[in-house]
Amino acid sequence: MNWRGIFAVVRKDLKVVVRSPIILLPMIILPLILQVAMPIGLGVAFNLAAEAASDEADDISEFLEVIPEEVLTTLETAGEEGTILILFLVYLFAPLYLIVPLMVSSVIAADSFVGERERKTLEALLYSPLTDMELLIAKMMTAWVAAMVVSVGSFLIYAVAVNVIAWPYMGRIFFPNATWLLLVFWVAPGVAALGLAATVLISSRVETFQEAYQFGGVIVLPVVALMLGQIGGLLFFGPVLVSLLGIFAWGLSVILLLIGYDSFSRDTLFAKM
Amino acid sequence: MGSSAITLENLTRRFDDLVAVDHLTFDIGEGEVFGLLGHNGAGKTTTVRLLSGVLSPDDGSARVLGLDPQKNGADLRRRIGVLTETPSIDERLSARENLTIFADLFGIPSDDVTPRIDALLERFELLERAAEKTSEYSKGMKQRLALARTLLHEPDLIFLDEPTAGLDPIAARDVRDMIRRLSGDEGRTIVMATHNLAEAQRLCHRVAVLEHGRLLALGTLRELNERLGGALRFTLELDPTTCETAQQTLRAMDGATFELERPDTLTVTGVPRAHIPEMITALAGAGVRLYRVEPQEASLEELYFALHATEERR
């Protein structure tokens, strides 16, 4: 394996990402909205509307009915309003976190696979001694590593934000819990792999970076569905469900990569040039 | 020219219903400057891609530097340099960054990377702006940088797709000098895919003319000329008082045609090269006083269009 060549491509692609506002800005803005602005906004809203929330105690009770008993036990000290706030921050927002690795990996993969072809810089790379497999590994590594750096970084910021917002209710550092640790270190890497595998698969079917980029907007829909499922009480993001979700994400990404690998052969790529 | 650097044997590639390269068979010698000529879509670039191992043939085979491009693609690409039709330069990186990536890709020893890049940047007059993003470069500068990248790993065989496209006349002349040096002094084999017939005429030892993926003609200028009937064109300068006699003598020769340019000058065509001595003897024998016989070999451009015209008539 030509690791020196692989790392050369990874370094190049990461440099290009850092120097491209159209790629870099969504990678900064999205985590800031999801992991900082939304929890802070929610915390402020809960504090301001504490009285109104108590008027809707019946609705809250209905919502609490779908929450597992062991979760509620851990939140005993938070009171009813604190419990709702923390349930939002820790459980209902959990699926939203998965948008970060999914979007970052698919956007970078779109630039790396489709954008490079569109800019006509791929051709010189294809004449290099890297094999198809080495080139694919290099391209995937770029997208996956960047997605994980952004995801773990945004998780750390989110952990601080959640503990600060919930401090008046909990009075202690309680986050992250087991579900989130699984989410960050098992599911998010799988989801990042899924995002880039899906992009590899569609890369041979689209012509421009914009088309591939728009595809990134479509693949977050299952994540939104997960969140709606939680709100509707159909499922609950506990350790078991999160573990199964990770298995599903990794499994599906492997299948998509196997299907997409053919579309990344030099022969297929050059046939499209 | 030594042994073959490249051998094609019925090499064929189709894209759906289109036959892009159609049973090409020829050799290219080591150290040769070889031209692939043809219109857009003639199959020049596809041939280069097949010989570089980045496209697979549907039929036939090729050997390049003793390797099978399909089975030993990575090893082969280590020994060849390809200048693509578009410079394929990453504009968000500097010239030095662009070259450094390819130094790593081609496994150039770490200690050699900086001196080799500096030398190439200097040779192509890019050293002063090496740290600048290449988006700021002119088209000619990008082309020079692409050439530097092509030569970075000192390849034995170089494919050049329109090497002087976008270059100003001085830069184009420098590139032509460089091609002569790479071939003549350093013994590298060079395959040029080009529309620029004047350039091919100046540089190439032999050319292959492609049309719809097929080999229309192959050889040196002289060989191509002979293939088209060997009809050399030449000028006869003679004593005007013997011009009428000269015309009568030429009329008696099979295939010869002539035009009277001036009272003392005839332009003759249709006489095969091998028959020129006999023609001169016949003219002299008839009493024509000849001052000058100047062959005017057809230019590659004339041959090229003659070949296409012949093909179209078929």
PDB file of all heavy atoms in Angstrom, chain A residues 159-187:
ATOM      1  N   ALA A 159     -21.285  19.265  24.959  1.00  0.00           N
ATOM      2  CA  ALA A 159     -21.227  18.749  26.334  1.00  0.00           C
ATOM      3  C   ALA A 159     -21.101  19.907  27.315  1.00  0.00           C
ATOM      4  O   ALA A 159     -21.779  19.930  28.369  1.00  0.00           O
ATOM      5  CB  ALA A 159     -20.058  17.779  26.486  1.00  0.00           C
ATOM      6  N   VAL A 160     -20.264  20.853  26.997  1.00  0.00           N
ATOM      7  CA  VAL A 160     -20.093  22.018  27.874  1.00  0.00           C
ATOM      8  C   VAL A 160     -21.406  22.799  27.927  1.00  0.00           C
ATOM      9  O   VAL A 160     -21.892  23.158  29.008  1.00  0.00           O
ATOM     10  CB  VAL A 160     -18.936  22.923  27.360  1.00  0.00           C
ATOM     11  CG1 VAL A 160     -18.883  24.218  28.148  1.00  0.00           C
ATOM     12  CG2 VAL A 160     -17.611  22.173  27.445  1.00  0.00           C
ATOM     13  N   ALA A 161     -21.991  23.042  26.749  1.00  0.00           N
ATOM     14  CA  ALA A 161     -23.230  23.831  26.692  1.00  0.00           C
ATOM     15  C   ALA A 161     -24.342  23.174  27.508  1.00  0.00           C
ATOM     16  O   ALA A 161     -25.035  23.837  28.292  1.00  0.00           O
ATOM     17  CB  ALA A 161     -23.664  23.999  25.236  1.00  0.00           C
ATOM     18  N   VAL A 162     -24.499  21.858  27.359  1.00  0.00           N
ATOM     19  CA  VAL A 162     -25.588  21.154  28.066  1.00  0.00           C
ATOM     20  C   VAL A 162     -25.391  21.238  29.579  1.00  0.00           C
ATOM     21  O   VAL A 162     -26.332  21.543  30.339  1.00  0.00           O
ATOM     22  CB  VAL A 162     -25.657  19.673  27.613  1.00  0.00           C
ATOM     23  CG1 VAL A 162     -26.556  18.853  28.538  1.00  0.00           C
ATOM     24  CG2 VAL A 162     -26.167  19.586  26.190  1.00  0.00           C
ATOM     25  N   ASN A 163     -24.165  20.996  30.039  1.00  0.00           N
ATOM     26  CA  ASN A 163     -23.921  21.044  31.490  1.00  0.00           C
ATOM     27  C   ASN A 163     -24.132  22.449  32.051  1.00  0.00           C
ATOM     28  O   ASN A 163     -24.646  22.606  33.165  1.00  0.00           O
ATOM     29  CB  ASN A 163     -22.506  20.536  31.790  1.00  0.00           C
ATOM     30  CG  ASN A 163     -22.437  19.016  31.727  1.00  0.00           C
ATOM     31  OD1 ASN A 163     -23.214  18.322  32.373  1.00  0.00           O
ATOM     32  ND2 ASN A 163     -21.542  18.494  30.896  1.00  0.00           N
ATOM     33  N   VAL A 164     -23.751  23.452  31.280  1.00  0.00           N
ATOM     34  CA  VAL A 164     -23.943  24.838  31.745  1.00  0.00           C
ATOM     35  C   VAL A 164     -25.436  25.167  31.795  1.00  0.00           C
ATOM     36  O   VAL A 164     -25.932  25.693  32.795  1.00  0.00           O
ATOM     37  CB  VAL A 164     -23.183  25.825  30.817  1.00  0.00           C
ATOM     38  CG1 VAL A 164     -23.593  27.265  31.109  1.00  0.00           C
ATOM     39  CG2 VAL A 164     -21.684  25.651  31.001  1.00  0.00           C
ATOM     40  N   ILE A 165     -26.153  24.813  30.727  1.00  0.00           N
ATOM     41  CA  ILE A 165     -27.592  25.149  30.662  1.00  0.00           C
ATOM     42  C   ILE A 165     -28.375  24.409  31.753  1.00  0.00           C
ATOM     43  O   ILE A 165     -29.289  24.949  32.371  1.00  0.00           O
ATOM     44  CB  ILE A 165     -28.148  24.812  29.259  1.00  0.00           C
ATOM     45  CG1 ILE A 165     -27.527  25.742  28.220  1.00  0.00           C
ATOM     46  CG2 ILE A 165     -29.658  24.913  29.207  1.00  0.00           C
ATOM     47  CD1 ILE A 165     -27.677  25.248  26.779  1.00  0.00           C
ATOM     48  N   ALA A 166     -27.984  23.148  31.982  1.00  0.00           N
ATOM     49  CA  ALA A 166     -28.750  22.328  32.936  1.00  0.00           C
ATOM     50  C   ALA A 166     -28.276  22.506  34.387  1.00  0.00           C
ATOM     51  O   ALA A 166     -28.861  21.922  35.301  1.00  0.00           O
ATOM     52  CB  ALA A 166     -28.650  20.862  32.532  1.00  0.00           C
ATOM     53  N   TRP A 167     -27.195  23.259  34.570  1.00  0.00           N
ATOM     54  CA  TRP A 167     -26.636  23.402  35.935  1.00  0.00           C
ATOM     55  C   TRP A 167     -27.675  23.877  36.950  1.00  0.00           C
ATOM     56  O   TRP A 167     -27.753  23.321  38.055  1.00  0.00           O
ATOM     57  CB  TRP A 167     -25.419  24.354  35.894  1.00  0.00           C
ATOM     58  CG  TRP A 167     -24.685  24.364  37.194  1.00  0.00           C
ATOM     59  CD1 TRP A 167     -24.858  25.227  38.242  1.00  0.00           C
ATOM     60  CD2 TRP A 167     -23.689  23.434  37.618  1.00  0.00           C
ATOM     61  NE1 TRP A 167     -24.038  24.921  39.276  1.00  0.00           N
ATOM     62  CE2 TRP A 167     -23.296  23.797  38.922  1.00  0.00           C
ATOM     63  CE3 TRP A 167     -23.088  22.308  37.029  1.00  0.00           C
ATOM     64  CZ2 TRP A 167     -22.322  23.110  39.657  1.00  0.00           C
ATOM     65  CZ3 TRP A 167     -22.132  21.628  37.760  1.00  0.00           C
ATOM     66  CH2 TRP A 167     -21.754  22.017  39.046  1.00  0.00           C
ATOM     67  N   PRO A 168     -28.516  24.871  36.622  1.00  0.00           N
ATOM     68  CA  PRO A 168     -29.506  25.323  37.622  1.00  0.00           C
ATOM     69  C   PRO A 168     -30.448  24.206  38.078  1.00  0.00           C
ATOM     70  O   PRO A 168     -30.987  24.270  39.183  1.00  0.00           O
ATOM     71  CB  PRO A 168     -30.288  26.408  36.876  1.00  0.00           C
ATOM     72  CG  PRO A 168     -29.387  26.868  35.788  1.00  0.00           C
ATOM     73  CD  PRO A 168     -28.585  25.674  35.390  1.00  0.00           C
ATOM     74  N   TYR A 169     -30.645  23.209  37.239  1.00  0.00           N
ATOM     75  CA  TYR A 169     -31.576  22.122  37.595  1.00  0.00           C
ATOM     76  C   TYR A 169     -30.852  20.916  38.177  1.00  0.00           C
ATOM     77  O   TYR A 169     -31.319  20.309  39.115  1.00  0.00           O
ATOM     78  CB  TYR A 169     -32.348  21.670  36.347  1.00  0.00           C
ATOM     79  CG  TYR A 169     -33.055  22.804  35.657  1.00  0.00           C
ATOM     80  CD1 TYR A 169     -32.524  23.385  34.513  1.00  0.00           C
ATOM     81  CD2 TYR A 169     -34.249  23.315  36.183  1.00  0.00           C
ATOM     82  CE1 TYR A 169     -33.154  24.441  33.888  1.00  0.00           C
ATOM     83  CE2 TYR A 169     -34.884  24.384  35.554  1.00  0.00           C
ATOM     84  CZ  TYR A 169     -34.330  24.939  34.404  1.00  0.00           C
ATOM     85  OH  TYR A 169     -34.950  25.994  33.800  1.00  0.00           O
ATOM     86  N   MET A 170     -29.714  20.565  37.591  1.00  0.00           N
ATOM     87  CA  MET A 170     -29.023  19.346  38.015  1.00  0.00           C
ATOM     88  C   MET A 170     -28.003  19.622  39.120  1.00  0.00           C
ATOM     89  O   MET A 170     -27.768  18.771  39.970  1.00  0.00           O
ATOM     90  CB  MET A 170     -28.294  18.698  36.823  1.00  0.00           C
ATOM     91  CG  MET A 170     -29.223  18.207  35.714  1.00  0.00           C
ATOM     92  SD  MET A 170     -30.366  16.931  36.267  1.00  0.00           S
ATOM     93  CE  MET A 170     -29.278  15.502  36.374  1.00  0.00           C
ATOM     94  N   GLY A 171     -27.330  20.750  39.063  1.00  0.00           N
ATOM     95  CA  GLY A 171     -26.337  21.097  40.081  1.00  0.00           C
ATOM     96  C   GLY A 171     -25.096  20.229  40.016  1.00  0.00           C
ATOM     97  O   GLY A 171     -24.314  20.170  40.972  1.00  0.00           O
ATOM     98  N   ARG A 172     -24.902  19.539  38.907  1.00  0.00           N
ATOM     99  CA  ARG A 172     -23.716  18.685  38.743  1.00  0.00           C
ATOM    100  C   ARG A 172     -23.463  18.441  37.257  1.00  0.00           C
ATOM    101  O   ARG A 172     -24.361  18.678  36.429  1.00  0.00           O
ATOM    102  CB  ARG A 172     -23.906  17.346  39.464  1.00  0.00           C
ATOM    103  CG  ARG A 172     -25.016  16.505  38.910  1.00  0.00           C
ATOM    104  CD  ARG A 172     -25.299  15.257  39.741  1.00  0.00           C
ATOM    105  NE  ARG A 172     -26.578  14.663  39.386  1.00  0.00           N
ATOM    106  CZ  ARG A 172     -26.761  13.765  38.435  1.00  0.00           C
ATOM    107  NH1 ARG A 172     -25.747  13.349  37.728  1.00  0.00           N
ATOM    108  NH2 ARG A 172     -27.957  13.263  38.177  1.00  0.00           N
ATOM    109  N   ILE A 173     -22.258  17.955  36.989  1.00  0.00           N
ATOM    110  CA  ILE A 173     -21.954  17.582  35.594  1.00  0.00           C
ATOM    111  C   ILE A 173     -22.525  16.189  35.352  1.00  0.00           C
ATOM    112  O   ILE A 173     -22.144  15.240  36.028  1.00  0.00           O
ATOM    113  CB  ILE A 173     -20.426  17.609  35.339  1.00  0.00           C
ATOM    114  CG1 ILE A 173     -19.919  19.049  35.439  1.00  0.00           C
ATOM    115  CG2 ILE A 173     -20.085  17.019  33.962  1.00  0.00           C
ATOM    116  CD1 ILE A 173     -18.397  19.177  35.424  1.00  0.00           C
ATOM    117  N   PHE A 174     -23.473  16.074  34.476  1.00  0.00           N
ATOM    118  CA  PHE A 174     -24.150  14.783  34.248  1.00  0.00           C
ATOM    119  C   PHE A 174     -24.038  14.300  32.803  1.00  0.00           C
ATOM    120  O   PHE A 174     -24.482  13.203  32.466  1.00  0.00           O
ATOM    121  CB  PHE A 174     -25.640  14.913  34.606  1.00  0.00           C
ATOM    122  CG  PHE A 174     -26.416  15.708  33.609  1.00  0.00           C
ATOM    123  CD1 PHE A 174     -27.247  15.098  32.689  1.00  0.00           C
ATOM    124  CD2 PHE A 174     -26.297  17.100  33.573  1.00  0.00           C
ATOM    125  CE1 PHE A 174     -27.936  15.835  31.746  1.00  0.00           C
ATOM    126  CE2 PHE A 174     -26.992  17.844  32.643  1.00  0.00           C
ATOM    127  CZ  PHE A 174     -27.811  17.223  31.733  1.00  0.00           C
ATOM    128  N   PHE A 175     -23.474  15.126  31.954  1.00  0.00           N
ATOM    129  CA  PHE A 175     -23.446  14.821  30.514  1.00  0.00           C
ATOM    130  C   PHE A 175     -22.003  14.751  30.061  1.00  0.00           C
ATOM    131  O   PHE A 175     -21.187  15.570  30.479  1.00  0.00           O
ATOM    132  CB  PHE A 175     -24.188  15.929  29.754  1.00  0.00           C
ATOM    133  CG  PHE A 175     -24.303  15.676  28.272  1.00  0.00           C
ATOM    134  CD1 PHE A 175     -25.322  14.888  27.767  1.00  0.00           C
ATOM    135  CD2 PHE A 175     -23.386  16.225  27.388  1.00  0.00           C
ATOM    136  CE1 PHE A 175     -25.428  14.659  26.401  1.00  0.00           C
ATOM    137  CE2 PHE A 175     -23.496  15.995  26.032  1.00  0.00           C
ATOM    138  CZ  PHE A 175     -24.517  15.214  25.538  1.00  0.00           C
ATOM    139  N   PRO A 176     -21.579  13.801  29.239  1.00  0.00           N
ATOM    140  CA  PRO A 176     -22.380  12.854  28.461  1.00  0.00           C
ATOM    141  C   PRO A 176     -22.730  11.593  29.251  1.00  0.00           C
ATOM    142  O   PRO A 176     -22.015  11.232  30.184  1.00  0.00           O
ATOM    143  CB  PRO A 176     -21.457  12.501  27.307  1.00  0.00           C
ATOM    144  CG  PRO A 176     -20.089  12.640  27.876  1.00  0.00           C
ATOM    145  CD  PRO A 176     -20.155  13.752  28.861  1.00  0.00           C
ATOM    146  N   ASN A 177     -23.809  10.984  28.823  1.00  0.00           N
ATOM    147  CA  ASN A 177     -24.180   9.693  29.400  1.00  0.00           C
ATOM    148  C   ASN A 177     -23.763   8.573  28.417  1.00  0.00           C
ATOM    149  O   ASN A 177     -23.173   8.836  27.368  1.00  0.00           O
ATOM    150  CB  ASN A 177     -25.682   9.650  29.694  1.00  0.00           C
ATOM    151  CG  ASN A 177     -26.497   9.890  28.431  1.00  0.00           C
ATOM    152  OD1 ASN A 177     -25.951   9.900  27.333  1.00  0.00           O
ATOM    153  ND2 ASN A 177     -27.797  10.088  28.598  1.00  0.00           N
ATOM    154  N   ALA A 178     -24.096   7.349  28.777  1.00  0.00           N
ATOM    155  CA  ALA A 178     -23.662   6.187  27.964  1.00  0.00           C
ATOM    156  C   ALA A 178     -24.216   6.271  26.543  1.00  0.00           C
ATOM    157  O   ALA A 178     -23.524   5.950  25.566  1.00  0.00           O
ATOM    158  CB  ALA A 178     -24.117   4.901  28.637  1.00  0.00           C
ATOM    159  N   THR A 179     -25.482   6.716  26.442  1.00  0.00           N
ATOM    160  CA  THR A 179     -26.097   6.806  25.107  1.00  0.00           C
ATOM    161  C   THR A 179     -25.292   7.740  24.213  1.00  0.00           C
ATOM    162  O   THR A 179     -25.011   7.424  23.042  1.00  0.00           O
ATOM    163  CB  THR A 179     -27.542   7.321  25.244  1.00  0.00           C
ATOM    164  OG1 THR A 179     -28.258   6.427  26.069  1.00  0.00           O
ATOM    165  CG2 THR A 179     -28.209   7.441  23.883  1.00  0.00           C
ATOM    166  N   TRP A 180     -24.898   8.892  24.726  1.00  0.00           N
ATOM    167  CA  TRP A 180     -24.153   9.858  23.915  1.00  0.00           C
ATOM    168  C   TRP A 180     -22.747   9.371  23.584  1.00  0.00           C
ATOM    169  O   TRP A 180     -22.248   9.632  22.491  1.00  0.00           O
ATOM    170  CB  TRP A 180     -24.108  11.221  24.619  1.00  0.00           C
ATOM    171  CG  TRP A 180     -25.256  12.079  24.175  1.00  0.00           C
ATOM    172  CD1 TRP A 180     -26.519  12.066  24.679  1.00  0.00           C
ATOM    173  CD2 TRP A 180     -25.244  13.016  23.110  1.00  0.00           C
ATOM    174  NE1 TRP A 180     -27.311  12.956  23.998  1.00  0.00           N
ATOM    175  CE2 TRP A 180     -26.555  13.554  23.035  1.00  0.00           C
ATOM    176  CE3 TRP A 180     -24.288  13.470  22.216  1.00  0.00           C
ATOM    177  CZ2 TRP A 180     -26.908  14.522  22.084  1.00  0.00           C
ATOM    178  CZ3 TRP A 180     -24.643  14.434  21.288  1.00  0.00           C
ATOM    179  CH2 TRP A 180     -25.938  14.952  21.219  1.00  0.00           C
ATOM    180  N   LEU A 181     -22.138   8.682  24.536  1.00  0.00           N
ATOM    181  CA  LEU A 181     -20.789   8.164  24.232  1.00  0.00           C
ATOM    182  C   LEU A 181     -20.854   7.157  23.084  1.00  0.00           C
ATOM    183  O   LEU A 181     -20.010   7.152  22.193  1.00  0.00           O
ATOM    184  CB  LEU A 181     -20.169   7.536  25.486  1.00  0.00           C
ATOM    185  CG  LEU A 181     -19.768   8.547  26.569  1.00  0.00           C
ATOM    186  CD1 LEU A 181     -19.296   7.833  27.826  1.00  0.00           C
ATOM    187  CD2 LEU A 181     -18.687   9.508  26.068  1.00  0.00           C
ATOM    188  N   LEU A 182     -21.911   6.319  23.137  1.00  0.00           N
ATOM    189  CA  LEU A 182     -22.108   5.383  22.014  1.00  0.00           C
ATOM    190  C   LEU A 182     -22.396   6.127  20.720  1.00  0.00           C
ATOM    191  O   LEU A 182     -21.911   5.762  19.650  1.00  0.00           O
ATOM    192  CB  LEU A 182     -23.282   4.448  22.330  1.00  0.00           C
ATOM    193  CG  LEU A 182     -22.981   3.224  23.184  1.00  0.00           C
ATOM    194  CD1 LEU A 182     -24.290   2.572  23.642  1.00  0.00           C
ATOM    195  CD2 LEU A 182     -22.138   2.214  22.389  1.00  0.00           C
ATOM    196  N   LEU A 183     -23.194   7.172  20.872  1.00  0.00           N
ATOM    197  CA  LEU A 183     -23.579   7.960  19.700  1.00  0.00           C
ATOM    198  C   LEU A 183     -22.350   8.580  19.038  1.00  0.00           C
ATOM    199  O   LEU A 183     -22.189   8.536  17.810  1.00  0.00           O
ATOM    200  CB  LEU A 183     -24.542   9.061  20.160  1.00  0.00           C
ATOM    201  CG  LEU A 183     -25.468   9.669  19.136  1.00  0.00           C
ATOM    202  CD1 LEU A 183     -26.454   8.639  18.608  1.00  0.00           C
ATOM    203  CD2 LEU A 183     -26.245  10.831  19.774  1.00  0.00           C
ATOM    204  N   VAL A 184     -21.469   9.149  19.875  1.00  0.00           N
ATOM    205  CA  VAL A 184     -20.312   9.887  19.339  1.00  0.00           C
ATOM    206  C   VAL A 184     -19.245   8.937  18.794  1.00  0.00           C
ATOM    207  O   VAL A 184     -18.669   9.180  17.732  1.00  0.00           O
ATOM    208  CB  VAL A 184     -19.718  10.807  20.431  1.00  0.00           C
ATOM    209  CG1 VAL A 184     -18.437  11.480  19.935  1.00  0.00           C
ATOM    210  CG2 VAL A 184     -20.738  11.854  20.840  1.00  0.00           C
ATOM    211  N   PHE A 185     -19.000   7.853  19.540  1.00  0.00           N
ATOM    212  CA  PHE A 185     -17.843   7.014  19.164  1.00  0.00           C
ATOM    213  C   PHE A 185     -18.204   5.727  18.427  1.00  0.00           C
ATOM    214  O   PHE A 185     -17.334   4.975  18.030  1.00  0.00           O
ATOM    215  CB  PHE A 185     -17.003   6.720  20.415  1.00  0.00           C
ATOM    216  CG  PHE A 185     -16.419   7.974  21.008  1.00  0.00           C
ATOM    217  CD1 PHE A 185     -16.916   8.501  22.197  1.00  0.00           C
ATOM    218  CD2 PHE A 185     -15.409   8.673  20.360  1.00  0.00           C
ATOM    219  CE1 PHE A 185     -16.396   9.679  22.727  1.00  0.00           C
ATOM    220  CE2 PHE A 185     -14.887   9.849  20.874  1.00  0.00           C
ATOM    221  CZ  PHE A 185     -15.383  10.354  22.061  1.00  0.00           C
ATOM    222  N   TRP A 186     -19.490   5.461  18.263  1.00  0.00           N
ATOM    223  CA  TRP A 186     -19.892   4.257  17.526  1.00  0.00           C
ATOM    224  C   TRP A 186     -20.835   4.604  16.365  1.00  0.00           C
ATOM    225  O   TRP A 186     -20.571   4.225  15.219  1.00  0.00           O
ATOM    226  CB  TRP A 186     -20.557   3.260  18.489  1.00  0.00           C
ATOM    227  CG  TRP A 186     -21.257   2.089  17.855  1.00  0.00           C
ATOM    228  CD1 TRP A 186     -22.581   1.750  18.003  1.00  0.00           C
ATOM    229  CD2 TRP A 186     -20.716   1.096  16.980  1.00  0.00           C
ATOM    230  NE1 TRP A 186     -22.887   0.629  17.280  1.00  0.00           N
ATOM    231  CE2 TRP A 186     -21.755   0.196  16.641  1.00  0.00           C
ATOM    232  CE3 TRP A 186     -19.449   0.879  16.442  1.00  0.00           C
ATOM    233  CZ2 TRP A 186     -21.581  -0.895  15.792  1.00  0.00           C
ATOM    234  CZ3 TRP A 186     -19.271  -0.212  15.591  1.00  0.00           C
ATOM    235  CH2 TRP A 186     -20.320  -1.086  15.282  1.00  0.00           C
ATOM    236  N   VAL A 187     -21.882   5.355  16.664  1.00  0.00           N
ATOM    237  CA  VAL A 187     -22.851   5.643  15.607  1.00  0.00           C
ATOM    238  C   VAL A 187     -22.336   6.738  14.659  1.00  0.00           C
ATOM    239  O   VAL A 187     -22.413   6.575  13.439  1.00  0.00           O
ATOM    240  CB  VAL A 187     -24.218   6.064  16.199  1.00  0.00           C
ATOM    241  CG1 VAL A 187     -25.245   6.230  15.077  1.00  0.00           C
ATOM    242  CG2 VAL A 187     -24.702   5.045  17.200  1.00  0.00           C
TER     243      VAL A 187
END
